[in-house]
């Protein structure tokens, strides 16, 4: 305290060795905003250790074990990896008709859910962002279903789609239509019913992402566009959509990955039926692993699904980089 008040603060000459040595850490910190000693201290590693242990134990470790088990006849009924199978598990999966049908049903679900979950979330976010008052209500209304568990969502929509006594059948009766056997009981419409429930359940997450992106766009851009005579649609087309491009690509990627991992709603609402009309990839993997007790074959199917998801993520990254490069060149 005393030295701080009595020692004069004499600035060093800009080109003196003292100034250079004092400025060196600042320059190192300024390069990318990262000080040279960040993350190298023992305290940082101590804080990261719990996450690292959980990451290794519950994500990286099981993933490596999945790759290894896919080359063995691993089963729950005996210890160890079992006998070496080579590529037999992969060959079996490629030759099974239910494997391809489950992949098709997964793709079908993805096609049913991704476009409405992106487009509707964007439209609702734009409309909500234009409100002067009451935005909190729509934020709550759209996001509230997302925090509910999948079992609750499934029960709600199973009730709605119940034949004869469900909400959907009641509306059909009021409109003069004869309720059929129910959406979930028809092989042609069961996946549509699961997709509708999923859209209602998860649209709030994309809605919040878009709303956060919209609120980062400066109001001055819209005011300048309005002064130049741009209509509301022209403002959305030439201001909102381009500035939300990165948000949109992120939403599409997250939604595709989430749709490819569909399991809860299908298991709880249809259990893969009627027949196998809604059996998805994770349903096939679960049945192979825990009903047939064939962990090796299920691991092979998991690896194939993992490769598909990684390929989509890589393609998205390439598209994003190409678009960013074009923006820099423009």
């Amino acid at each position: 305290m005393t030295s701080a008040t009595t020692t004069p603060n004499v600035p060093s000459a800009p080109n003196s060795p003292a100034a250079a040595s004092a400025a060196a850490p600042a320059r190192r910190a300024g390069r990318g905003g990262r000080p040279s000693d960040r993350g190298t201290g023992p305290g940082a590693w101590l804080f990261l250790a719990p996450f690292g242990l959980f990451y290794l134990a519950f994500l990286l470790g099981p993933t490596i074990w999945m790759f290894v088990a896919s080359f063995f006849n691993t089963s729950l009924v005996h210890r160890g990896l079992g006998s070496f199978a080579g590529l037999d598990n992969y060959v079996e999966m490629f030759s099974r008709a239910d494997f391809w049908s489950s992949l098709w049903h997964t793709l079908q679900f993805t096609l049913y859910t991704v476009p409405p979950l992106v487009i509707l979330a964007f439209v609702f976010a734009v409309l909500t962002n234009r409100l002067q008052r009451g935005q909190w209500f729509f934020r709550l209304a759209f996001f509230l279903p997302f925090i509910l568990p999948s079992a609750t969502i499934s029960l709600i929509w199973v009730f709605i789609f119940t034949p004869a006594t469900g909400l959907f059948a009641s509306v059909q009766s009021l409109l003069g239509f004869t309720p059929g056997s129910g959406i979930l009981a028809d092989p042609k419409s069961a996946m549509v019913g699961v997709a509708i429930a999923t859209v209602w359940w998860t649209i709030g997450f994309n809605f919040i992402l878009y709303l956060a992106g919209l609120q980062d766009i400066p109001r001055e851009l819209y005011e300048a566009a309005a002064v130049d005579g741009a209509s509301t649609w022209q403002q959305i087309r030439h201001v909102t959509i381009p500035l939300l491009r990165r948000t949109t690509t992120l939403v599409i990627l997250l939604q595709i990955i989430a749709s490819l991992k569909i399991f809860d709603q299908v298991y709880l609402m249809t259990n893969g039926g009627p027949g196998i009309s809604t059996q998805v990839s994770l349903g096939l993997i679960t049945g192979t692993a825990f009903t047939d007790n064939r962990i090796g074959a299920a691991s092979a199917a998991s690896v194939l699904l993992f490769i598909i998801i990684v390929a989509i993520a890589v393609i998205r990254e390439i598209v994003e980089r190409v678009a960013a490069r074009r923006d820099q060149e423009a």
Side-chain angles (χ1 to χ4, degrees):
M1 181 71 178
T2 305
S3 62
T5 54
T6 57
T7 303
N9 186 15
V10 180
S12 304
N15 297 324
S16 66
S21 60
R27 286 199 299 269
R28 287 197 296 270
R31 292 168 185 170
R34 295 180 300 176
S36 59
D37 58 346
R38 178 180 293 180
T40 58
W45 289 109
L46 191 62
F47 278 107
L48 289 173
F51 169 76
L53 290 176
F54 277 93
Y55 186 82
L56 183 64
F58 296 106
L59 184 62
L60 190 58
T63 302
I64 295 174
W65 193 86
M66 175 188 70
F67 278 99
V68 174
S70 66
F71 296 102
F72 291 85
N73 291 315
T74 308
S75 174
L76 290 175
V77 298
H78 58 73
R79 294 183 177 180
L81 289 171
S83 59
F84 183 70
L87 296 176
D88 289 351
N89 289 325
Y90 291 95
V91 174
E92 176 191 339
M93 284 298 155
F94 283 125
S95 62
R96 286 175 57 169
D98 57 348
F99 173 75
W100 292 108
S101 68
S102 68
L103 272 182
W104 164 243
H105 296 149
T106 305
L107 177 62
Q108 191 181 14
F109 176 81
T110 303
L111 294 175
Y112 287 166
T113 55
V114 172
L117 279 171
V118 175
I119 296 172
L120 291 178
F122 173 78
V123 172
F124 291 145
V126 169
L127 294 176
T128 303
N129 191 52
R130 288 180 173 271
L131 294 176
Q132 298 297 326
R133 295 180 179 179
Q135 283 194 15
W136 66 269
F137 172 77
F138 292 96
R139 291 177 187 172
L140 178 64
F142 281 109
F143 197 69
L144 187 60
F146 186 72
I147 65 176
L148 296 176
S150 57
T152 304
I153 300 298
S154 300
L155 285 174
I156 291 173
W157 283 93
V158 166
F159 162 72
I160 292 175
F161 291 141
T162 298
T165 59
L167 182 62
F168 184 68
S170 300
V171 172
Q172 285 182 306
S173 300
L174 289 175
L175 296 176
F177 296 100
T178 303
S181 59
I183 290 180
L184 299 179
D186 189 343
K188 295 181 180 178
S189 60
M191 188 61 81
V192 176
V194 177
I196 292 173
T198 304
V199 170
W200 181 79
W201 179 26
T202 60
I203 194 171
F205 182 74
N206 296 343
F207 170 82
I208 292 297
L209 290 180
Y210 270 124
L211 195 59
L214 284 167
Q215 293 180 350
D216 281 341
I217 299 177
R219 289 284 179 185
E220 291 78 7
L221 293 178
Y222 292 106
E223 293 171 359
V227 170
D228 290 340
S231 63
T232 302
W233 166 244
Q234 289 173 329
Q235 292 176 24
I236 294 174
R237 181 183 175 187
H238 297 292
V239 177
T240 305
I241 293 178
L243 292 179
L244 287 180
R245 182 177 55 81
R246 294 178 66 86
T247 303
T248 301
T249 55
L250 175 65
V251 168
I252 292 174
L253 175 66
L254 294 178
Q255 202 55 61
I256 289 176
I257 292 176
S259 297
L260 290 175
K261 297 190 299 181
I262 172 68
F263 176 72
D264 299 23
Q265 305 94 296
V266 171
Y267 182 78
L268 294 169
M269 294 178 68
T270 65
N271 197 19
I276 59 169
S277 61
T278 59
Q279 186 184 53
V280 292
S281 295
L282 285 186
L284 174 74
I285 292 169
T286 304
T288 304
F290 301 109
T291 302
D292 301 338
N293 291 322
R294 300 190 60 210
I295 299 295
S299 298
S302 300
V303 170
L304 295 175
L305 182 62
F306 176 77
I307 291 173
I308 293 173
I309 293 175
V310 170
I312 291 173
V314 170
I315 291 172
R316 180 261 178 189
E317 185 66 23
I318 293 173
V319 171
E320 179 71 17
R321 291 190 178 188
V322 170
R325 191 176 303 165
R326 287 179 179 174
D327 290 343
Q328 291 177 353
E329 294 173 355

